[in-house]
Amino acid sequence: MTKVTQEIDLYKKLLEKYKEIVLLNNITMNIYWDMDTYMPEKGVEQRSEELAIISGLIHEKTIDPEIGALLEEIKANENYEKLTPVEKRNIYLFQRDYDRNTKIPKELVEAISKQSALGNSIWKKAFAESDYELFKPELIKIFKLMKKFANYLDPSKDPYDVLLDLNEPGFTREIVDGLFEELRDGLKPLIKAIVNSPKQPDYSLIERACPKDIQEKLSKELAKVTNYDLNAGRIDETVHPFTTGYYDDVRVTTNYHLDDFSSSFFSVLHEIGHALYEQYLPQKHKYQPVGYSCSNGFHESQSRFIENFIGRSSEFWQYFLPKLKEITGGIFEDVELDPFVRAINRVIPSKIRVEADPVTYSMHVIIRHEIEKDLFAGKISFDDLPQIWNSKMKEYLGMDIENDAEGLLQDVHWSGGGFSSFPSYAIGNIIDGQLLWKMDQEIPDWRKDIEKGDLNKVLDWLKTKVHQMGNLYDPLELVKKITGEELSTKYYLNYLRKEYSRIYELK
Ligand code: ZN
């Protein structure tokens, strides 16, 4: 056997190992989906045993020493340099995963998972009783464990940077700080001008009783207009909407509010944006490390692009308002395009992140990030967190927070150690602004198509530029590859200023 074929055999063997892990992970995703949708109440214990055995199997597969040996052998082989960039990227990504999985002692993995479960149940109670003091000891425990976790991964780096890198490879606290400071300083005067504008939209145009079966029809119509393939997907109901899946089986969920159709309408568009990314990943890279999305931030950029840039645009509603009237019967018969578009773009500062509008949303993320990084830097104490949260909410959004449930405790992430996972939400917005700027240059007439309900050009553009790239590049590289420029907040801020100056008739 020649060296070259030997090399190919090793690479093939490595990818076979990877495929097994992907398949097992997919099984787990389906199990979780079922738990959130249709699993009967009594099934819970049986299910937790099923989950335990499968996560044990996955763990064994991911730390298999043969993977490490194969990776070493391939990289030491004299033909390594002859591999294609895609093959090399696969090896790099698999090595990165393997290192992450093998560097952490089993005891620490178990301690984190135990503390997450405990922390989550206590968070629920603390949230219900709006009592930060109840949650604080658990928060401190998981914080220490996650710091340890970061130290095992890379003791030479700031723990916050290590954790951030898991969600957004290549980003550091410094980069996020720079972007978020610009974004914060740009948003502050805009939000102030909007809130003080005498031209406030009439939201009663939206808040009208709309039965569930009609809203379900709207969801189906949205799937059609966005090319979300329902033969490779589904739309079901859960308390919190989400997307889960891989290539040919990507499912979304939503939550129908009977007195405000827009809540489910935009959440369906949002989740479809996520789902399209997964459905349009390159088939040729299925079951390979490069056959995944780029980062959480990029994923969020895709959902928000469809939800906000498309779904809240006046061009889209030029097409969709007559459809809405037709599908909903007489409910919106009297509604006219312009006031309706203004209403669905209403900006109203909220205490709750997940209820925030597109303009104020990033502020919630920025506040969380500022607190997280100061915690990791040891600049603030756990005792002061609620008060710091409340004063930032007052300063940035003018909100008076009256209790911990509507303040610091509103998000579940920290209870499971999800520090550094928040920046991705706002990074998605920033990426979006830059993508839109580039798309405007490359397909300047796209808005004319949207007016006719034809999203093909836009979807093709996102597919080619983002989805089909899979995980070939880290997020900052991919932004540069697509737009030719480093990631910057200016395009997103420009978009917001232009859009909302029109809606609120700002000077
Ligand atoms: Zn999302």
Side-chain angles (χ1 to χ4, degrees):
M1 199 194 287
T2 68
K3 283 254 167 70
V4 180
T5 52
Q6 191 190 2
E7 172 83 356
I8 290 165
D9 280 350
L10 292 174
Y11 180 73
K12 257 189 171 168
K13 219 167 151 189
L14 187 73
L15 286 189
E16 276 162 23
K17 294 218 166 266
Y18 193 80
K19 182 175 175 179
E20 288 178 3
I21 298 171
V22 174
L23 293 175
L24 285 168
N25 278 324
N26 289 354
I27 293 171
T28 314
M29 282 198 293
N30 288 338
I31 290 178
Y32 275 112
W33 172 85
D34 176 68
M35 278 174 83
D36 279 325
T37 50
Y38 299 112
M39 188 184 76
E41 212 178 306
K42 267 193 180 172
V44 111
E45 246 168 77
Q46 204 169 301
R47 182 55 52 89
S48 69
E49 286 194 67
E50 291 160 6
L51 274 171
I53 196 156
I54 201 147
S55 56
L57 275 175
I58 292 173
H59 183 68
E60 261 170 49
K61 293 258 179 216
T62 53
I63 59 161
D64 179 359
E66 217 184 306
I67 296 172
L70 277 168
L71 286 163
E72 288 315 312
E73 241 183 293
I74 292 171
K75 286 198 279 189
N77 193 294
E78 58 181 330
N79 288 309
Y80 174 73
E81 283 310 318
K82 290 182 190 152
L83 293 179
T84 66
V86 173
E87 289 166 336
K88 282 187 184 162
R89 176 77 177 169
N90 270 329
I91 290 165
Y92 164 78
L93 292 171
F94 203 0
Q95 179 83 58
R96 195 176 70 184
D97 284 353
Y98 183 73
D99 288 346
R100 283 173 183 169
N101 292 321
T102 50
K103 273 183 183 169
I104 313 294
K106 204 172 164 223
E107 299 72 44
L108 182 59
V109 176
E110 282 167 2
I112 289 174
S113 114
K114 228 171 136 187
Q115 180 56 41
S116 296
L118 178 69
N120 184 264
S121 71
I122 294 183
W123 169 78
K124 276 185 191 152
K125 197 163 182 273
F127 177 69
E129 293 170 16
S130 190
D131 182 1
Y132 171 70
E133 288 303 316
L134 184 63
F135 180 56
K136 190 172 76 180
E138 307 312 317
L139 180 61
I140 294 173
K141 279 186 227 160
I142 193 75
F143 177 78
K144 285 185 178 157
L145 287 171
M146 292 313 291
K147 251 187 154 170
K148 232 186 204 174
F149 178 89
N151 264 317
Y152 273 110
L153 281 185
D154 191 345
S156 71
K157 276 194 193 155
D158 179 332
Y160 187 80
D161 280 351
V162 176
L163 297 178
L164 183 63
D165 197 71
L166 298 174
N167 299 306
E168 300 300 327
F171 277 81
T172 60
R173 171 162 60 189
E174 215 185 323
I175 295 173
V176 176
D177 277 355
L179 291 168
F180 281 11
E181 271 164 35
E182 280 171 24
L183 192 56
R184 183 193 62 199
D185 296 344
L187 285 175
K188 264 189 189 170
L190 180 64
I191 293 171
K192 204 172 161 199
I194 290 174
V195 170
N196 293 326
S197 162
K199 297 279 179 185
Q200 295 297 321
D202 175 8
Y203 203 68
S204 70
L205 298 174
I206 310 282
E207 266 178 320
R208 295 178 178 189
C210 185
K212 198 174 106 178
D213 60 322
I214 290 182
Q215 293 197 43
E216 283 172 338
K217 278 190 200 146
L218 287 171
S219 296
K220 289 242 168 72
E221 192 60 34
L222 287 179
K224 210 161 98 189
V225 73
T226 56
N227 297 346
Y228 169 45
D229 182 359
L230 284 175
N231 290 318
R234 298 181 53 89
I235 305 173
D236 295 273
E237 257 187 282
T238 50
V239 179
H240 303 289
F242 66 85
T243 304
T244 186
Y246 187 73
Y247 284 85
D248 300 324
D249 181 356
V250 186
R251 308 170 187 201
V252 306
T253 70
T254 188
N255 183 357
Y256 295 107
H257 294 258
L258 301 185
D259 57 354
D260 185 347
F261 86 98
S262 76
S263 171
S264 151
F265 191 89
F266 289 106
S267 95
V268 167
L269 276 176
H270 181 99
E271 300 307 330
I272 283 178
H274 281 303
L276 294 176
Y277 197 165
E278 297 293 324
Q279 285 189 340
Y280 290 161
L281 284 168
Q283 283 287 342
K284 64 181 179 208
H285 294 151
K286 197 175 180 182
Y287 303 128
Q288 298 178 20
V290 294
Y292 274 96
S293 59
C294 170
S295 75
N296 292 348
F298 249 101
H299 232 299
E300 210 49 30
S301 82
Q302 296 310 289
S303 56
R304 291 175 172 269
F305 200 103
I306 302 294
E307 176 195 351
N308 296 331
F309 291 179
I310 306 293
R312 292 184 202 270
S313 68
S314 59
E315 291 85 0
F316 176 76
W317 283 99
Q318 205 161 316
Y319 164 74
F320 207 84
L321 190 57
K323 270 235 153 356
L324 177 79
K325 290 184 180 181
E326 184 194 312
I327 294 170
T328 56
I331 304 173
F332 298 98
E333 209 39 64
D334 59 315
V335 167
E336 285 171 22
L337 181 65
D338 191 49
F340 181 83
V341 169
R342 288 161 45 99
I344 55 161
N345 283 290
R346 178 178 69 156
V347 174
I348 182 158
S350 158
K351 294 172 180 176
I352 308 298
R353 177 182 63 88
V354 295
E355 290 168 9
D357 59 77
V359 178
T360 57
Y361 181 86
S362 300
M363 278 301 202
H364 293 258
V365 178
I366 291 169
I367 292 173
R368 189 69 72 167
H369 168 72
E370 289 182 352
I371 293 178
E372 275 185 347
K373 66 165 183 156
D374 283 350
L375 259 185
F376 274 86
K379 285 187 187 161
I380 52 176
S381 143
F382 283 92
D383 298 338
D384 303 329
L385 295 189
Q387 188 220 324
I388 297 171
W389 177 274
N390 297 353
S391 70
K392 282 185 190 280
M393 279 301 278
K394 180 77 187 168
E395 189 193 340
Y396 298 174
L397 289 173
M399 304 303 287
D400 289 305
I401 302 299
E402 275 151 39
N403 60 59
D404 296 340
E406 61 177 35
L408 186 81
L409 286 182
Q410 63 181 277
D411 277 309
V412 62
H413 307 49
W414 281 358
S415 73
F419 302 101
S420 82
S421 60
F422 285 94
S424 301
Y425 296 123
I427 287 170
N429 282 337
I430 300 170
I431 292 174
D432 263 346
Q434 202 154 325
L435 291 180
L436 182 69
W437 165 74
K438 196 67 191 174
M439 197 177 83
D440 272 333
Q441 288 176 342
E442 295 188 353
I443 37 170
D445 57 346
W446 68 273
R447 288 182 189 273
K448 286 210 180 73
D449 286 7
I450 304 284
E451 286 173 4
K452 291 176 250 150
D454 177 2
L455 270 64
N456 285 317
K457 263 189 213 158
V458 172
L459 295 171
D460 272 350
W461 193 87
L462 293 174
K463 182 177 173 182
T464 319
K465 303 286 171 170
V466 181
H467 310 154
Q468 290 281 301
M469 289 296 121
N471 197 2
L472 284 175
Y473 305 95
D474 283 350
L476 290 167
E477 293 168 341
L478 184 55
V479 167
K480 184 137 191 222
K481 186 118 189 120
I482 298 169
T483 67
E485 291 194 12
E486 304 289 343
L487 182 62
S488 156
T489 57
K490 74 177 170 210
Y491 300 109
Y492 182 58
L493 283 169
N494 283 347
Y495 155 81
L496 289 179
R497 285 187 196 114
K498 197 174 147 209
E499 252 341 82
Y500 289 88
S501 292
R502 190 174 50 77
I503 293 162
Y504 280 86
E505 299 181 26
L506 305 177
K507 300 273 137 49

